[in-house]
Amino acid sequence: AACPANSSSAAGSNELADCACDAGYSGVGAVVQCGGNCGCSPSLGGVISDGVGDYSDNMDCWWLISGIGISPSVTFTSFSTEAGYDFVYVKESWDADFSSGVVPLASLSGN
């Protein structure tokens, strides 16, 4: 992934964590990366979803919301999982690859 508009990284790194705002800019906005087996789409903030309708068995999806000079937030407008069996975990980390400093914020199940 490349740096968002109005930012760049030293030595041409493609890691979002290495991006810094260009002169005259601050907080270039949230970047959403995603993966897993749910067919999600990355975006520049806004709505994130695992798709339309019910999710399938053994789904494993993740979203990484990050930005330079911002504090990303998450608001659920609709939420429904099989209570006690399927979970959404919300975590924060100072590392873009979540290799260290991971802090669990919420474990959500049901609706």
Coordinates of all heavy atoms in Angstrom, one line a residue:
A1 N 0.8 -1.2 0.0 CA 0.0 0.0 0.0 C 0.9 1.2 0.0 O 1.9 1.3 0.7 CB -0.9 0.0 1.2
A2 N 0.5 2.2 -0.8 CA 1.3 3.5 -0.8 C 0.7 4.4 0.2 O -0.4 4.3 0.8 CB 1.1 4.0 -2.2
C3 N 1.5 5.5 0.4 CA 1.0 6.5 1.4 C -0.2 7.3 0.8 O -0.3 7.4 -0.4 CB 2.1 7.5 1.6 SG 3.5 6.8 2.5
P4 N -1.1 7.8 1.6 CA -2.2 8.5 1.2 C -1.8 9.9 0.5 O -0.6 10.3 0.7 CB -3.0 8.8 2.4 CG -2.5 7.8 3.4 CD -1.1 7.5 3.1
A5 N -2.7 10.6 -0.1 CA -2.4 11.9 -0.7 C -1.8 12.8 0.3 O -2.2 12.7 1.5 CB -3.7 12.5 -1.3
N6 N -0.9 13.7 -0.1 CA -0.3 14.7 0.8 C 0.6 14.1 1.9 O 0.7 14.7 2.9 CB -1.4 15.6 1.4 CG -2.2 16.3 0.3 OD1 -1.7 16.7 -0.7 ND2 -3.5 16.3 0.5
S7 N 1.1 12.9 1.6 CA 2.0 12.3 2.5 C 3.0 11.5 1.7 O 2.8 11.2 0.6 CB 1.3 11.5 3.6 OG 0.8 10.3 3.0
S8 N 4.2 11.2 2.4 CA 5.2 10.4 1.7 C 6.0 9.6 2.8 O 5.8 9.9 4.0 CB 6.1 11.3 0.9 OG 6.7 12.2 1.7
S9 N 6.8 8.7 2.3 CA 7.6 7.9 3.3 C 9.1 8.0 2.9 O 9.4 8.2 1.8 CB 7.2 6.4 3.3 OG 7.5 5.9 2.0
A10 N 9.9 7.9 3.9 CA 11.3 8.0 3.7 C 11.8 6.8 3.0 O 11.3 5.7 3.2 CB 12.0 8.1 5.1
A11 N 12.8 6.9 2.1 CA 13.4 5.8 1.4 C 12.4 5.0 0.6 O 12.6 3.8 0.3 CB 14.1 4.9 2.4
G12 N 11.3 5.6 0.2 CA 10.3 4.9 -0.7 C 9.6 3.7 -0.1 O 9.1 2.9 -0.8
S13 N 9.5 3.6 1.3 CA 8.8 2.5 1.9 C 7.3 2.5 1.5 O 6.7 3.6 1.3 CB 8.9 2.7 3.4 OG 8.0 1.8 4.1
N14 N 6.8 1.3 1.4 CA 5.3 1.2 1.1 C 4.5 0.9 2.3 O 3.3 0.6 2.2 CB 5.1 0.1 0.0 CG 5.5 0.5 -1.4 OD1 5.5 1.7 -1.7 ND2 5.9 -0.4 -2.2
E15 N 5.1 1.0 3.5 CA 4.4 0.7 4.7 C 3.7 2.0 5.2 O 4.3 3.0 5.3 CB 5.4 0.2 5.8 CG 6.0 -1.1 5.5 CD 5.0 -2.2 5.4 OE1 4.0 -2.2 6.3 OE2 5.1 -3.1 4.5
L16 N 2.4 1.8 5.5 CA 1.6 3.0 5.9 C 2.1 3.6 7.2 O 2.1 4.8 7.4 CB 0.1 2.5 6.1 CG -0.9 3.7 6.4 CD1 -0.9 4.6 5.2 CD2 -2.3 3.1 6.6
A17 N 2.7 2.7 8.1 CA 3.2 3.2 9.3 C 4.4 4.1 9.1 O 4.8 4.9 10.0 CB 3.6 2.0 10.2
D18 N 5.1 4.1 7.9 CA 6.2 4.9 7.7 C 5.9 6.2 7.0 O 6.7 7.1 6.8 CB 7.2 4.2 6.7 CG 7.8 2.9 7.4 OD1 7.9 2.9 8.6 OD2 8.2 2.0 6.6
C19 N 4.6 6.4 6.7 CA 4.2 7.7 6.0 C 4.2 8.9 7.0 O 3.9 8.7 8.2 CB 2.8 7.5 5.5 SG 2.7 6.2 4.2
A20 N 4.5 10.0 6.5 CA 4.5 11.3 7.2 C 3.9 12.3 6.3 O 4.0 12.3 5.1 CB 5.9 11.7 7.6
C21 N 3.2 13.3 7.0 CA 2.5 14.4 6.2 C 3.6 15.2 5.5 O 4.6 15.5 6.0 CB 1.7 15.2 7.2 SG 0.3 14.4 8.0
D22 N 3.2 15.6 4.3 CA 4.1 16.6 3.5 C 4.0 17.9 4.2 O 3.0 18.2 5.0 CB 3.6 16.6 2.1 CG 3.8 15.3 1.3 OD1 4.6 14.5 1.7 OD2 3.1 15.1 0.3
A23 N 4.9 18.8 3.9 CA 5.0 20.1 4.5 C 3.7 20.9 4.2 O 3.1 20.8 3.1 CB 6.1 20.9 3.9
G24 N 3.1 21.4 5.3 CA 1.9 22.2 5.2 C 0.6 21.4 5.4 O -0.5 21.9 5.3
Y25 N 0.8 20.1 5.6 CA -0.4 19.2 5.8 C -0.3 18.5 7.2 O 0.7 18.3 7.7 CB -0.5 18.1 4.7 CG -0.8 18.7 3.4 CD1 0.2 19.0 2.5 CD2 -2.1 18.8 3.0 CE1 -0.1 19.5 1.2 CE2 -2.4 19.3 1.7 CZ -1.4 19.7 0.9 OH -1.7 20.2 -0.4
S26 N -1.5 18.2 7.7 CA -1.6 17.4 8.9 C -2.8 16.5 8.9 O -3.8 16.9 8.3 CB -1.6 18.3 10.2 OG -2.8 19.1 10.1
G27 N -2.7 15.3 9.4 CA -3.9 14.4 9.5 C -4.5 14.2 8.2 O -5.6 14.8 7.9
V28 N -4.0 13.4 7.3 CA -4.5 13.2 6.0 C -5.7 12.3 5.9 O -6.2 12.0 4.8 CB -3.4 12.6 5.1 CG1 -2.2 13.6 4.9 CG2 -2.9 11.3 5.5
G29 N -6.2 11.8 7.0 CA -7.5 11.0 7.0 C -7.2 9.5 7.3 O -6.1 9.1 7.3
A30 N -8.3 8.8 7.5 CA -8.2 7.4 7.8 C -8.1 6.6 6.5 O -8.8 6.9 5.5 CB -9.5 7.0 8.5
V31 N -7.3 5.6 6.5 CA -7.2 4.6 5.5 C -7.6 3.3 6.0 O -7.3 2.9 7.1 CB -5.7 4.5 5.0 CG1 -5.6 3.4 3.9 CG2 -5.2 5.9 4.4
V32 N -8.5 2.6 5.2 CA -9.0 1.3 5.7 C -8.5 0.2 4.8 O -8.7 0.2 3.6 CB -10.6 1.3 5.6 CG1 -11.1 0.0 6.1 CG2 -11.2 2.4 6.5
Q33 N -7.8 -0.7 5.4 CA -7.3 -1.9 4.7 C -8.1 -3.1 5.3 O -8.5 -3.0 6.4 CB -5.8 -2.1 4.9 CG -4.9 -1.0 4.4 CD -3.5 -1.1 4.9 OE1 -3.3 -1.0 6.1 NE2 -2.6 -1.3 4.0
C34 N -8.3 -4.1 4.5 CA -9.0 -5.3 4.9 C -8.5 -6.5 4.3 O -7.8 -6.5 3.3 CB -10.5 -5.1 4.7 SG -10.9 -4.9 2.9
G35 N -8.9 -7.6 4.9 CA -8.5 -8.9 4.3 C -9.3 -10.0 5.0 O -10.2 -9.8 5.7
G36 N -8.9 -11.2 4.7 CA -9.6 -12.4 5.2 C -10.4 -13.0 4.0 O -10.1 -12.8 2.9
N37 N -11.4 -13.8 4.4 CA -12.1 -14.5 3.3 C -13.6 -14.0 3.1 O -14.4 -14.7 2.7 CB -12.2 -16.0 3.6 CG -12.8 -16.3 5.0 OD1 -13.3 -15.4 5.7 ND2 -12.8 -17.6 5.3
C38 N -13.8 -12.7 3.4 CA -15.1 -12.1 3.3 C -15.3 -11.2 2.1 O -16.5 -10.8 1.8 CB -15.5 -11.4 4.5 SG -14.4 -10.0 4.9
G39 N -14.3 -11.0 1.3 CA -14.5 -10.2 0.1 C -14.7 -8.7 0.4 O -15.5 -8.0 -0.4
C40 N -14.1 -8.2 1.4 CA -14.2 -6.7 1.7 C -13.5 -5.9 0.7 O -12.7 -6.4 -0.1 CB -13.8 -6.5 3.1 SG -12.0 -6.8 3.3
S41 N -13.7 -4.6 0.8 CA -13.1 -3.6 -0.1 C -12.4 -2.5 0.7 O -13.0 -2.0 1.6 CB -14.0 -3.0 -1.1 OG -14.6 -3.9 -1.9
P42 N -11.1 -2.2 0.5 CA -10.4 -1.2 1.2 C -11.0 0.2 0.8 O -11.7 0.3 -0.3 CB -9.0 -1.3 0.7 CG -8.9 -2.2 -0.4 CD -10.2 -2.9 -0.5
S43 N -10.9 1.2 1.7 CA -11.5 2.5 1.3 C -10.7 3.6 2.1 O -9.8 3.3 2.8 CB -12.9 2.6 1.8 OG -13.1 2.6 3.2
L44 N -11.0 4.8 1.8 CA -10.5 6.0 2.5 C -11.5 6.5 3.5 O -12.0 7.6 3.4 CB -10.1 7.1 1.5 CG -9.0 6.8 0.5 CD1 -8.8 7.9 -0.5 CD2 -7.7 6.6 1.3
G45 N -11.8 5.6 4.5 CA -12.8 6.0 5.5 C -14.2 5.7 5.1 O -14.4 5.1 4.0
G46 N -15.2 6.0 5.8 CA -16.5 5.7 5.5 C -17.0 4.4 6.0 O -16.6 3.9 7.0
V47 N -17.9 3.8 5.2 CA -18.6 2.5 5.6 C -17.7 1.3 5.3 O -17.1 1.2 4.2 CB -19.9 2.4 4.9 CG1 -20.6 1.1 5.2 CG2 -20.8 3.5 5.2
I48 N -17.6 0.4 6.3 CA -16.9 -0.9 6.0 C -17.9 -2.0 6.3 O -18.8 -1.8 7.1 CB -15.7 -1.1 6.9 CG1 -16.0 -1.0 8.4 CG2 -14.6 0.0 6.5 CD1 -14.8 -1.3 9.3
S49 N -17.9 -3.0 5.5 CA -18.9 -4.1 5.6 C -18.3 -5.4 5.1 O -17.3 -5.5 4.4 CB -20.0 -3.8 4.7 OG -21.0 -4.8 4.6
D50 N -18.8 -6.5 5.7 CA -18.4 -7.8 5.2 C -19.3 -8.3 4.1 O -19.2 -9.4 3.6 CB -18.5 -8.9 6.4 CG -19.9 -9.1 6.9 OD1 -20.8 -8.3 6.6 OD2 -20.1 -10.1 7.6
G51 N -20.1 -7.4 3.5 CA -21.0 -7.8 2.4 C -22.5 -7.8 2.8 O -22.8 -7.6 3.9
V52 N -23.3 -8.0 1.8 CA -24.8 -8.0 2.0 C -25.2 -9.4 2.5 O -24.7 -10.4 2.1 CB -25.4 -7.7 0.6 CG1 -27.0 -7.7 0.8 CG2 -25.0 -6.4 0.1
G53 N -26.2 -9.4 3.4 CA -26.8 -10.6 3.9 C -26.0 -11.3 5.0 O -25.1 -10.7 5.6
D54 N -26.4 -12.5 5.3 CA -25.7 -13.2 6.4 C -24.3 -13.6 6.0 O -24.0 -13.9 4.8 CB -26.5 -14.5 6.7 CG -27.9 -14.2 7.3 OD1 -28.0 -13.1 7.8 OD2 -28.7 -15.1 7.3
Y55 N -23.4 -13.7 7.0 CA -22.1 -14.2 6.7 C -22.1 -15.7 6.7 O -22.9 -16.4 7.3 CB -21.1 -13.6 7.7 CG -21.5 -13.9 9.2 CD1 -21.0 -15.0 9.8 CD2 -22.2 -13.0 9.9 CE1 -21.4 -15.3 11.2 CE2 -22.6 -13.2 11.2 CZ -22.1 -14.3 11.8 OH -22.5 -14.5 13.1
S56 N -21.1 -16.3 6.1 CA -21.0 -17.8 6.0 C -20.3 -18.4 7.2 O -19.6 -17.7 7.9 CB -20.2 -18.2 4.7 OG -20.9 -17.7 3.5
D57 N -20.3 -19.7 7.3 CA -19.6 -20.4 8.3 C -18.1 -20.2 8.1 O -17.6 -20.0 7.0 CB -19.9 -21.9 8.3 CG -21.3 -22.2 8.8 OD1 -21.9 -21.4 9.4 OD2 -21.7 -23.4 8.5
N58 N -17.4 -20.1 9.2 CA -15.9 -20.0 9.2 C -15.4 -18.7 8.5 O -14.3 -18.7 8.0 CB -15.3 -21.2 8.6 CG -15.6 -22.5 9.3 OD1 -15.5 -22.6 10.5 ND2 -16.1 -23.5 8.5
M59 N -16.1 -17.7 8.6 CA -15.6 -16.4 8.1 C -14.6 -15.8 9.0 O -14.7 -15.9 10.2 CB -16.8 -15.4 7.9 CG -17.8 -15.8 6.9 SD -17.2 -15.9 5.2 CE -16.9 -14.2 4.8
D60 N -13.5 -15.3 8.4 CA -12.5 -14.6 9.2 C -12.1 -13.4 8.4 O -11.4 -13.4 7.4 CB -11.3 -15.6 9.3 CG -10.2 -15.0 10.2 OD1 -10.4 -14.0 10.9 OD2 -9.1 -15.6 10.1
C61 N -12.6 -12.3 8.9 CA -12.4 -11.0 8.2 C -11.7 -10.0 9.1 O -11.9 -10.1 10.3 CB -13.7 -10.3 7.8 SG -14.8 -11.5 6.9
W62 N -10.9 -9.1 8.6 CA -10.2 -8.1 9.4 C -10.2 -6.7 8.7 O -10.2 -6.7 7.4 CB -8.8 -8.5 9.8 CG -7.9 -8.8 8.7 CD1 -7.6 -10.0 8.2 CD2 -7.1 -7.8 8.0 NE1 -6.7 -9.9 7.2 CE2 -6.4 -8.6 7.0 CE3 -6.9 -6.5 8.0 CZ2 -5.5 -7.9 6.1 CZ3 -6.1 -5.8 7.2 CH2 -5.4 -6.6 6.2
W63 N -10.2 -5.7 9.4 CA -10.1 -4.3 8.9 C -9.0 -3.6 9.7 O -9.0 -3.7 11.0 CB -11.4 -3.6 9.0 CG -12.4 -4.0 8.0 CD1 -12.7 -3.5 6.8 CD2 -13.3 -5.1 8.2 NE1 -13.7 -4.2 6.2 CE2 -14.1 -5.2 7.0 CE3 -13.6 -6.0 9.2 CZ2 -15.1 -6.1 6.8 CZ3 -14.5 -7.0 9.0 CH2 -15.3 -7.0 7.9
L64 N -8.2 -2.9 9.1 CA -7.2 -2.0 9.8 C -7.5 -0.6 9.4 O -7.4 -0.2 8.2 CB -5.8 -2.4 9.3 CG -4.6 -1.5 9.8 CD1 -4.5 -1.6 11.3 CD2 -3.3 -2.0 9.2
I65 N -7.9 0.2 10.4 CA -8.2 1.6 10.2 C -7.0 2.4 10.8 O -6.7 2.3 12.0 CB -9.5 2.0 10.9 CG1 -10.6 1.1 10.5 CG2 -9.8 3.5 10.7 CD1 -11.9 1.2 11.3
S66 N -6.3 3.2 9.9 CA -5.1 3.9 10.4 C -5.1 5.3 9.7 O -5.8 5.5 8.7 CB -3.9 3.1 10.0 OG -3.8 2.8 8.6
G67 N -4.3 6.1 10.2 CA -4.1 7.4 9.7 C -3.0 8.2 10.3 O -2.4 7.7 11.3
I68 N -2.6 9.2 9.7 CA -1.5 10.0 10.2 C -2.1 11.2 10.9 O -2.8 12.0 10.4 CB -0.6 10.5 9.0 CG1 0.0 9.3 8.3 CG2 0.5 11.4 9.5 CD1 0.6 9.6 7.0
G69 N -1.7 11.4 12.2 CA -2.2 12.6 12.9 C -3.7 12.5 13.3 O -4.3 13.6 13.5
I70 N -4.3 11.4 13.3 CA -5.7 11.2 13.6 C -5.9 10.1 14.6 O -5.0 9.3 14.8 CB -6.6 11.0 12.4 CG1 -6.3 9.6 11.8 CG2 -6.5 12.0 11.4 CD1 -7.3 9.1 10.8
S71 N -7.0 10.1 15.3 CA -7.4 9.0 16.1 C -8.7 8.4 15.5 O -9.8 8.9 15.7 CB -7.8 9.5 17.5 OG -6.6 10.1 18.1
P72 N -8.5 7.3 14.8 CA -9.6 6.6 14.1 C -10.7 6.2 15.2 O -10.4 5.9 16.3 CB -9.0 5.4 13.5 CG -7.6 5.7 13.3 CD -7.2 6.6 14.5
S73 N -11.9 6.2 14.8 CA -13.0 5.7 15.6 C -13.9 4.8 14.8 O -13.9 4.8 13.6 CB -13.8 6.9 16.2 OG -14.5 7.6 15.2
V74 N -14.7 4.0 15.5 CA -15.6 3.0 14.9 C -17.0 3.2 15.5 O -17.1 3.3 16.8 CB -15.1 1.6 15.1 CG1 -16.1 0.6 14.6 CG2 -13.7 1.4 14.5
T75 N -18.0 3.3 14.7 CA -19.4 3.3 15.2 C -20.1 2.3 14.4 O -20.1 2.2 13.2 CB -20.0 4.7 14.9 OG1 -19.2 5.7 15.5 CG2 -21.4 4.8 15.4
F76 N -20.8 1.4 15.1 CA -21.7 0.4 14.5 C -23.1 0.9 14.3 O -23.7 1.3 15.3 CB -21.7 -0.9 15.3 CG -20.3 -1.6 15.3 CD1 -19.5 -1.4 16.4 CD2 -19.9 -2.4 14.3 CE1 -18.2 -2.1 16.4 CE2 -18.7 -3.1 14.3 CZ -17.9 -2.9 15.4
T77 N -23.6 1.0 13.1 CA -25.0 1.3 12.9 C -25.9 0.1 12.8 O -27.1 0.2 12.9 CB -25.1 2.2 11.6 OG1 -24.6 1.4 10.5 CG2 -24.4 3.5 11.7
S78 N -25.3 -1.0 12.5 CA -26.0 -2.3 12.4 C -25.0 -3.4 12.8 O -23.9 -3.4 12.3 CB -26.5 -2.5 11.0 OG -27.2 -3.8 10.9
F79 N -25.5 -4.3 13.6 CA -24.5 -5.3 14.1 C -25.3 -6.6 14.5 O -26.3 -6.5 15.2 CB -23.8 -4.8 15.3 CG -22.8 -5.6 15.9 CD1 -21.5 -5.5 15.4 CD2 -23.1 -6.6 16.8 CE1 -20.5 -6.3 15.9 CE2 -22.1 -7.4 17.3 CZ -20.8 -7.3 16.9
S80 N -25.0 -7.7 13.9 CA -25.6 -9.0 14.3 C -24.7 -10.2 14.1 O -24.4 -10.4 12.9 CB -26.9 -9.1 13.5 OG -27.6 -10.3 13.9
T81 N -24.4 -10.8 15.2 CA -23.6 -12.1 15.1 C -24.3 -13.1 15.9 O -25.2 -12.8 16.7 CB -22.2 -11.9 15.6 OG1 -22.2 -11.7 17.0 CG2 -21.4 -10.8 14.9
E82 N -23.9 -14.4 15.7 CA -24.5 -15.4 16.6 C -24.0 -15.3 18.0 O -22.8 -15.5 18.2 CB -24.2 -16.8 16.0 CG -24.9 -17.9 16.7 CD -24.7 -19.3 16.1 OE1 -23.9 -19.4 15.1 OE2 -25.2 -20.3 16.6
A83 N -24.8 -14.9 18.9 CA -24.4 -14.5 20.3 C -23.7 -15.7 20.9 O -24.1 -16.8 20.9 CB -25.6 -14.1 21.1
G84 N -22.5 -15.4 21.5 CA -21.7 -16.4 22.2 C -20.9 -17.3 21.4 O -20.1 -18.0 21.9
Y85 N -21.0 -17.2 20.1 CA -20.2 -18.0 19.2 C -19.4 -17.2 18.2 O -18.3 -17.6 17.8 CB -21.2 -19.0 18.4 CG -21.8 -20.0 19.3 CD1 -23.1 -19.8 19.8 CD2 -21.2 -21.2 19.6 CE1 -23.7 -20.7 20.6 CE2 -21.8 -22.1 20.5 CZ -23.1 -21.9 20.9 OH -23.7 -22.8 21.8
D86 N -19.9 -16.1 17.7 CA -19.3 -15.3 16.7 C -19.0 -14.0 17.3 O -19.8 -13.4 18.0 CB -20.1 -15.2 15.4 CG -20.4 -16.5 14.7 OD1 -19.5 -17.4 14.9 OD2 -21.4 -16.6 14.0
F87 N -17.8 -13.4 17.1 CA -17.3 -12.2 17.7 C -16.7 -11.2 16.8 O -16.2 -11.6 15.8 CB -16.3 -12.6 18.8 CG -16.9 -13.4 19.9 CD1 -16.9 -14.8 19.9 CD2 -17.4 -12.8 21.1 CE1 -17.4 -15.5 20.9 CE2 -17.9 -13.5 22.1 CZ -17.9 -14.9 22.0
V88 N -16.8 -10.0 17.2 CA -16.1 -8.9 16.5 C -15.2 -8.3 17.6 O -15.6 -8.0 18.7 CB -17.0 -7.7 16.0 CG1 -16.2 -6.6 15.6 CG2 -17.9 -8.3 14.9
Y89 N -13.9 -8.4 17.4 CA -12.9 -7.8 18.3 C -12.4 -6.5 17.8 O -12.0 -6.3 16.7 CB -11.7 -8.8 18.4 CG -12.1 -10.2 18.9 CD1 -12.2 -11.3 18.0 CD2 -12.4 -10.4 20.2 CE1 -12.5 -12.5 18.4 CE2 -12.8 -11.7 20.7 CZ -12.8 -12.7 19.8 OH -13.2 -14.0 20.2
V90 N -12.4 -5.5 18.7 CA -11.8 -4.2 18.4 C -10.5 -4.1 19.2 O -10.6 -4.2 20.4 CB -12.8 -3.1 18.7 CG1 -12.2 -1.7 18.4 CG2 -14.1 -3.3 18.0
K91 N -9.4 -3.8 18.5 CA -8.1 -3.7 19.2 C -7.4 -2.5 18.7 O -7.7 -2.0 17.6 CB -7.3 -4.9 18.9 CG -7.9 -6.2 19.3 CD -7.1 -7.4 18.8 CE -7.7 -8.7 19.1 NZ -6.9 -9.9 18.6
E92 N -6.4 -2.0 19.4 CA -5.6 -0.9 18.9 C -4.1 -1.3 19.1 O -3.8 -2.2 20.0 CB -5.8 0.4 19.6 CG -5.3 0.5 21.0 CD -5.5 1.9 21.6 OE1 -5.8 2.9 20.9 OE2 -5.4 2.0 22.8
S93 N -3.3 -0.8 18.3 CA -1.8 -1.1 18.3 C -1.1 0.1 17.7 O -1.6 0.8 16.8 CB -1.5 -2.3 17.6 OG -0.1 -2.6 17.5
W94 N 0.1 0.3 18.2 CA 1.0 1.3 17.7 C 1.7 0.8 16.4 O 2.3 1.5 15.7 CB 2.0 1.8 18.7 CG 1.3 2.6 19.8 CD1 1.1 2.2 21.1 CD2 0.7 3.9 19.7 NE1 0.4 3.1 21.8 CE2 0.1 4.2 20.9 CE3 0.6 4.8 18.7 CZ2 -0.5 5.4 21.2 CZ3 -0.1 6.0 18.9 CH2 -0.6 6.3 20.2
D95 N 1.7 -0.5 16.2 CA 2.3 -1.1 15.1 C 1.3 -1.5 14.0 O 0.3 -2.0 14.3 CB 3.0 -2.5 15.5 CG 4.1 -2.3 16.5 OD1 4.8 -1.2 16.4 OD2 4.4 -3.2 17.3
A96 N 1.6 -1.1 12.8 CA 0.6 -1.4 11.7 C 0.4 -2.8 11.5 O -0.6 -3.2 11.0 CB 1.1 -0.7 10.4
D97 N 1.4 -3.7 11.8 CA 1.2 -5.1 11.6 C 0.7 -5.8 12.9 O 0.7 -7.1 12.9 CB 2.5 -5.7 11.1 CG 3.7 -5.6 12.1 OD1 3.5 -5.1 13.2 OD2 4.8 -6.1 11.8
F98 N 0.4 -5.1 13.9 CA -0.1 -5.6 15.2 C 0.8 -6.7 15.8 O 0.4 -7.6 16.4 CB -1.5 -6.2 15.0 CG -2.6 -5.2 15.1 CD1 -2.8 -4.2 14.1 CD2 -3.5 -5.2 16.2 CE1 -3.7 -3.3 14.2 CE2 -4.4 -4.2 16.3 CZ -4.6 -3.3 15.3
S99 N 2.1 -6.4 15.6 CA 3.1 -7.4 16.2 C 3.4 -7.1 17.6 O 3.9 -8.0 18.3 CB 4.4 -7.3 15.3 OG 5.0 -6.0 15.4
S100 N 3.2 -5.9 18.1 CA 3.4 -5.6 19.6 C 2.5 -4.5 20.0 O 2.0 -3.8 19.2 CB 4.9 -5.3 19.8 OG 5.2 -4.1 19.2
G101 N 2.4 -4.3 21.3 CA 1.6 -3.2 21.8 C 0.1 -3.3 21.5 O -0.6 -2.3 21.4
V102 N -0.4 -4.5 21.4 CA -1.9 -4.7 21.1 C -2.7 -4.5 22.3 O -2.4 -5.2 23.3 CB -2.1 -6.0 20.4 CG1 -3.6 -6.2 20.1 CG2 -1.3 -6.1 19.1
V103 N -3.7 -3.7 22.3 CA -4.6 -3.4 23.4 C -6.0 -3.8 23.0 O -6.6 -3.2 22.1 CB -4.5 -2.0 23.9 CG1 -5.5 -1.7 25.0 CG2 -3.1 -1.6 24.2
P104 N -6.6 -4.8 23.6 CA -8.0 -5.2 23.3 C -8.9 -4.0 23.8 O -8.8 -3.6 25.0 CB -8.3 -6.4 24.1 CG -6.9 -6.9 24.5 CD -6.0 -5.8 24.6
L105 N -9.8 -3.6 23.0 CA -10.8 -2.5 23.4 C -12.2 -3.1 23.6 O -12.9 -2.6 24.5 CB -10.8 -1.4 22.3 CG -9.5 -0.7 22.1 CD1 -9.6 0.3 20.9 CD2 -9.0 0.0 23.3
A106 N -12.6 -4.0 22.8 CA -13.9 -4.6 22.9 C -14.0 -6.0 22.3 O -13.3 -6.3 21.4 CB -14.9 -3.7 22.2
S107 N -14.9 -6.8 22.9 CA -15.2 -8.1 22.3 C -16.7 -8.1 22.2 O -17.4 -8.2 23.2 CB -14.7 -9.2 23.2 OG -15.1 -10.5 22.8
L108 N -17.2 -8.1 21.0 CA -18.7 -7.9 20.8 C -19.3 -9.2 20.1 O -18.7 -9.8 19.2 CB -18.9 -6.7 19.8 CG -18.2 -5.4 20.2 CD1 -18.3 -4.4 19.1 CD2 -18.8 -4.9 21.5
S109 N -20.5 -9.5 20.6 CA -21.2 -10.7 20.1 C -22.7 -10.4 20.3 O -23.1 -9.9 21.3 CB -20.8 -11.9 20.9 OG -21.4 -13.1 20.3
G110 N -23.5 -10.9 19.3 CA -24.9 -10.7 19.4 C -25.4 -9.5 18.5 O -24.9 -9.3 17.5
N111 N -26.3 -8.7 19.1 CA -26.7 -7.5 18.4 C -27.1 -6.4 19.3 O -27.1 -6.6 20.5 CB -27.8 -7.8 17.4 CG -29.0 -8.5 18.0 OD1 -29.3 -8.5 19.2 ND2 -29.7 -9.2 17.1

